[in-house]
């Protein structure tokens, strides 16, 4: 009952939540840098409050994060000790093109990731690279309005060509946009979009989505041209919507909500806009401008695999006042009375993970890659600085077991599994350090104080054994 022989076990990070060093070696400012911790965070993330630079009284956790920029060797060594086969990380776009529209890349930025990938190579760890994990150079936001402009496709293409060429011998697994559907819920965080009074937000978002989808298809094209061994994936913030009741209206609402997410992957994997999305644009008076050649580009360059994050399932209802609300991955949802929730209100549902995998595989019939899954929790180190995170082990074990069932019982093709936040770093939704996911504790608090010392937790030893046995979670529980 083990996992497939070549299964890629590992962990995942994102540049803006881990690297810090936001202004070193020529790096330009980006949207992700100027999202403060505290009360204003949500308004900035959603594009309701424009903040294009730092304000003196606010704290910006991405500036320093956990300084992986200077600790990457130590961190990757720890990942190797756990036996990682793969390490997911993202490129900070503004390290490579500080403004975003230059013709020549910043050599210091390229050299940094080269060192990171070479370190991975020394430990036989396959990098899985997210080309953009939410970040957009600030100059592209202030000059072009970010992804609302079609020019972004050229800038992104330029970035991709540089990355694929420079790292041809070091990287073959790429993801184009992290959680591409997140643009609908946190448009500034996910895509650098802000809105002025009276603007048609839905139209702007979907116009930006179209640009990203074309850019993603072109990235796939270029990746295959530069190196036929390259494999390119899309990336969805997944998690099935269940109907709140068996009332047909709730069933229809759950289907509508699921499709809102699938629409992105329908384009990236099947190569065309689904009719239900086109019809909803028509109904809502949303006019998305497309070039004549776009349909052909989308059709010709579909992704090789489907990657996704899964933390929780969700619940949908047609009744506006039904059920309590709870949090979940920037998407508040109806509370499912059958599930427990994390300290941050995210519903814990391992069987929902298996169901989500089955849905995605049925729909797309392409290999899946689970690139985020994990438990955000408040870890309290003992007097020796050690965290006994049994709750995290329990969460991960149940999800790994569910994934095993999806593979061995249901026949779902899964390439690998990277847990989210394999080392502690800043939370995307709340900007806290206190919300930790890692196997390695990092001494840093919500206000940016701490030594940055790294200390393996109990889950470190456990995950090492899971990998060594190719998926046996049983010996601890
Ligand atoms: C996903 C993102 O939405 O969930 C990550 O891709 C994020 O960037 C992760 O960190 C967990 O969310 P949070 O808000 O707990 O950090």
């Amino acid at each position: 009952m083990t996992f497939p022989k070549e299964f890629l076990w590992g962990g995942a990070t994102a540049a803006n939540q881990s690297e810090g060093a936001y202004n070193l070696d020529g790096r330009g400012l980006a949207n992700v840098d100027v999202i403060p911790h505290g009360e204003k965070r949500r308004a900035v993330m959603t594009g309701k409050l424009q903040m294009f630079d730092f304000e003196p009284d606010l704290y910006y956790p991405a500036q320093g994060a956990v300084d992986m920029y200077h600790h990457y060797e130590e961190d990757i060594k720890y990942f190797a000790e756990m036996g990682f086969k793969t390490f997911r990380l993202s490129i900070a776009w503004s390290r490579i093109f500080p403004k975003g529209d230059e013709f020549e890349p910043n050599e210091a930025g390229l050299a940094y990731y080269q060192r990171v990938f070479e370190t991975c190579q020394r430990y036989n760890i396959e990098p899985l690279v997210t080309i953009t994990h939410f970040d957009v150079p600030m100059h592209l936001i202030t000059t072009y309005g970010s992804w609302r402009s079609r020019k972004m496709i050229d800038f992104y293409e330029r970035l991709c060509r540089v990355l694929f060429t420079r790292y041809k011998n070091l990287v073959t697994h790429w993801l184009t946009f992290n959680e591409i559907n997140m643009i609908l819920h946190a448009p500034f965080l996910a895509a650098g979009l802000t809105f002025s009074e009276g603007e048609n937000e839905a139209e702007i978002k979907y116009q930006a989505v179209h640009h990203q989808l074309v850019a993603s298809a072109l990235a796939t094209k270029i990746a295959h041209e530069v190196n036929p061994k390259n494999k390119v994936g899309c990336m969805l913030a997944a998690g099935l919507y269940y109907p709140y009741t068996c009332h047909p209206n709730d069933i229809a609402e759950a289907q509508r909500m699921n499709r809102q997410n699938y629409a992105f992957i329908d384009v990236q994997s099947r190569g065309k806009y689904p009719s239900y999305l086109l019809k909803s644009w028509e109904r809502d008076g949303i006019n998305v401008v497309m070039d004549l050649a776009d349909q052909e580009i989308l059709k010709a360059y579909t992704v090789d695999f489907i990657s996704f994050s899964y933390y929780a399932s969700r619940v949908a209802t047609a009744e506006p006042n039904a059920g309590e609300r709870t949090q979940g991955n920037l998407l508040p949802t109806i509370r499912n009375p059958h599930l427990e929730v994390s300290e941050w209100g995210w519903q814990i549902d391992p069987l929902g993970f298996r169901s989500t995998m089955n849905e995605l595989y049925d729909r797309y019939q392409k290999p899946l890659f689970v690139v985020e899954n994990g438990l955000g929790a408040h870890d309290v180190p003992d007097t020796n600085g050690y965290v006994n995170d049994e709750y995290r082990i329990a969460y991960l074990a149940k999800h790994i077991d569910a994934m095993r069932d999806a593979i061995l019982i249901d026949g779902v093709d899964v390439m690998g599994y990277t847990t989210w936040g394999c080392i502690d770093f800043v939370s995307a939704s709340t900007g806290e350090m206190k919300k930790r996911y890692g196997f390695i504790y990092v001494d840093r608090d919500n206000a940016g104080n701490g030594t940055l010392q790294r200390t393996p937790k109990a889950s470190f030893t456990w995950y090492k054994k899971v990998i060594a046995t190719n998926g046996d979670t049983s010996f601890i529980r």
Side-chain angles (χ1 to χ4, degrees):
M1 294 298 278
T2 61
F3 281 74
K5 212 163 134 251
E6 305 302 327
F7 195 76
L8 291 167
W9 294 100
T13 60
N16 72 86
Q17 292 169 256
S18 59
E19 283 177 5
Y22 80 102
N23 58 358
L24 287 193
D25 297 333
R27 184 187 179 284
L29 195 66
N31 58 335
V32 286
D33 302 330
V34 297
I35 303 180
H37 175 55
E39 274 172 19
K40 293 189 175 161
R41 187 172 182 85
R42 191 157 282 265
V44 176
M45 286 196 301
T46 51
K48 306 268 181 240
L49 173 66
Q50 263 192 15
M51 198 176 281
F52 290 167
D53 211 337
F54 303 116
E55 284 188 2
D57 297 334
L58 296 177
Y59 171 60
Y60 296 87
Q63 287 186 339
V66 293
D67 198 23
M68 198 180 261
Y69 193 75
H70 294 109
H71 289 74
Y72 70 90
E73 283 190 288
E74 179 188 354
D75 295 344
I76 294 171
K77 191 163 178 240
Y78 273 131
F79 303 154
E81 199 183 320
M82 277 187 276
F84 278 22
K85 315 275 183 228
T86 189
F87 168 41
R88 176 179 174 225
L89 70 155
S90 77
I91 303 283
W93 187 344
S94 63
R95 280 198 201 288
I96 310 298
F97 288 102
K99 288 166 72 184
D101 59 358
E102 304 91 330
F103 286 96
E104 290 308 317
N106 170 31
E107 176 52 32
L110 284 171
Y112 166 67
Y113 291 110
Q114 173 136 0
R115 292 195 296 276
V116 171
F117 298 145
E118 284 171 353
T119 308
C120 290
Q121 197 177 48
R122 271 207 303 286
Y123 291 111
N124 279 324
I125 295 175
E126 172 89 45
L128 167 61
V129 178
T130 319
I131 297 165
T132 57
H133 191 116
F134 296 156
D135 46 313
V136 182
M138 189 52 77
H139 171 77
L140 297 184
I141 296 172
T142 49
T143 312
Y144 304 94
S146 192
W147 283 98
R148 57 167 84 202
S149 162
R150 192 173 173 99
K151 290 207 172 77
M152 291 294 282
I153 300 176
D154 297 339
F155 305 141
Y156 183 84
E157 244 192 284
R158 205 176 294 159
L159 170 72
C160 290
R161 202 176 286 283
V162 165
L163 299 178
F164 299 151
T165 310
R166 174 70 173 243
Y167 306 126
K168 187 172 171 182
N169 299 319
L170 292 165
V171 180
T172 52
H173 285 77
W174 303 91
L175 306 179
T176 52
F177 290 93
N178 181 63
E179 294 189 334
I180 189 158
N181 48 328
M182 209 49 96
I183 191 172
L184 300 181
H185 313 286
F188 183 69
L189 168 71
L193 298 178
T194 58
F195 308 96
S196 320
E197 193 71 35
E199 276 194 315
N200 183 343
E201 287 191 21
E203 184 168 277
I204 290 163
K205 284 183 197 168
Y206 276 112
Q207 185 65 62
V209 166
H210 178 67
H211 295 147
Q212 290 197 335
L213 291 170
V214 173
S216 174
L218 289 170
T220 310
K221 170 181 187 271
I222 301 166
H224 291 158
E225 281 167 5
V226 174
N227 182 0
K229 287 195 196 135
N230 273 334
K231 296 250 175 288
V232 183
C234 51
M235 200 310 199
L236 176 75
L240 266 187
Y241 275 96
Y242 300 144
Y244 187 54
T245 69
C246 58
H247 192 292
N249 289 347
D250 282 357
I251 309 277
E253 181 59 11
Q255 182 185 53
R256 190 186 70 79
M257 295 299 286
N258 281 320
R259 280 172 155 182
Q260 197 180 66
N261 292 325
Y262 290 144
F264 294 80
I265 312 303
D266 285 357
V267 179
Q268 289 176 294
S269 181
R270 293 166 160 175
K272 63 178 194 153
Y273 279 99
S275 45
Y276 62 82
L277 181 66
L278 297 175
K279 281 286 172 198
S280 78
W281 287 352
E282 222 176 277
R283 262 193 322 275
D284 298 343
I286 292 175
N287 178 34
V288 175
V289 180
M290 301 188 191
D291 271 13
L292 276 182
D294 288 354
Q295 311 285 359
E296 281 159 40
I297 293 171
L298 296 175
K299 180 132 207 75
Y301 310 110
T302 55
V303 289
D304 301 308
F305 64 94
I306 315 290
S307 87
F308 65 97
S309 60
Y310 177 87
Y311 295 91
S313 55
R314 304 161 185 150
V315 177
T317 174
E319 268 301 315
N321 299 321
E324 246 179 82
R325 310 286 287 177
T326 188
Q327 284 306 311
N329 212 2
L330 295 166
L331 297 171
T333 174
I334 307 283
R335 174 92 164 78
N336 184 332
H338 305 288
L339 298 176
E340 287 178 10
V341 294
S342 76
E343 290 166 273
W344 272 264
W346 296 24
Q347 331 215 44
I348 301 177
D349 184 8
L351 185 55
F353 184 31
R354 177 174 168 189
S355 307
T356 298
M357 278 187 272
N358 273 285
E359 285 278 320
L360 289 172
Y361 193 57
D362 283 354
R363 198 172 176 102
Y364 301 115
Q365 293 288 300
K366 287 190 183 176
L368 306 184
F369 204 142
V370 184
V371 298
E372 286 186 32
N373 173 237
L375 179 73
H378 178 204
D379 295 338
V380 182
D382 66 15
T383 46
N384 299 317
Y386 183 71
V387 174
N388 186 10
D389 53 345
E390 280 171 353
Y391 38 90
R392 181 166 296 110
I393 294 174
Y395 176 100
L396 291 172
K398 284 183 197 146
H399 283 77
I400 291 173
D401 290 349
M403 175 169 61
R404 181 193 297 104
D405 290 346
I407 297 171
L408 297 181
I409 300 177
D410 308 329
V412 176
D413 183 0
V414 186
M415 297 162 70
Y417 174 78
T418 60
T419 66
W420 181 244
C422 47
I423 181 165
D424 294 346
F425 49 64
V426 179
S427 152
S429 56
T430 67
E432 292 166 293
M433 265 310 296
K434 186 175 145 193
K435 189 180 189 195
R436 295 166 184 274
Y437 286 85
F439 300 118
I440 302 160
Y441 186 84
V442 178
D443 180 25
R444 180 105 168 158
D445 67 15
N446 277 356
N449 303 309
T451 61
L452 292 173
Q453 193 189 318
R454 275 74 168 143
T455 310
K457 306 178 193 173
S459 55
F460 181 100
T461 317
W462 172 80
Y463 196 49
K464 182 177 176 176
K465 288 185 189 152
V466 172
I467 298 177
T469 55
N470 199 15
D472 182 358
T473 58
S474 63
F475 44 81
I476 287 266
R477 284 166 314 125

